[in-house]
Amino acid sequence: MEKSTKLDARTDAYCLLAQAQEALGEINDARLTWEICLIAESNQLEVQQWRLQILKRLLGEFVTPSSP
């Protein structure tokens, strides 16, 4: 997956990499990768959904479905 982020620099690749890093217990790496996922430009529906999921995890009830 890291190769895909270097080749494409696509936001969805970073979001997927962050999920994989979390699953592998690489929490510090996942935090950095999630940050890229959150701030990189993307209009993809999947990316928007992943962003909402991570924001809900971080902010809890403060994030509503209409939030970015």
Side-chain angles (χ1 to χ4, degrees):
M1 277 195 211
E2 289 185 71
K3 286 185 180 181
S4 69
T5 59
K6 290 178 183 175
L7 293 175
D8 297 334
R10 291 179 33 181
T11 304
D12 57 343
Y14 284 102
C15 298
L16 288 170
L17 178 58
Q19 293 176 53
Q21 289 169 327
E22 279 189 0
L24 294 170
E26 300 170 359
I27 303 305
N28 289 332
D29 291 336
R31 286 180 182 157
L32 294 172
T33 309
W34 272 124
E35 185 175 338
I36 296 168
C37 173
L38 287 168
I39 63 173
E41 185 176 336
S42 178
N43 292 322
Q44 292 180 314
L45 180 59
E46 296 86 2
V47 171
Q48 299 302 320
Q49 291 171 340
W50 292 325
R51 288 175 174 170
L52 184 56
Q53 288 174 354
I54 192 67
L55 289 172
K56 281 184 178 180
R57 283 177 36 202
L58 294 172
L59 302 174
E61 74 277 357
F62 295 110
V63 178
T64 63
S66 62
S67 296

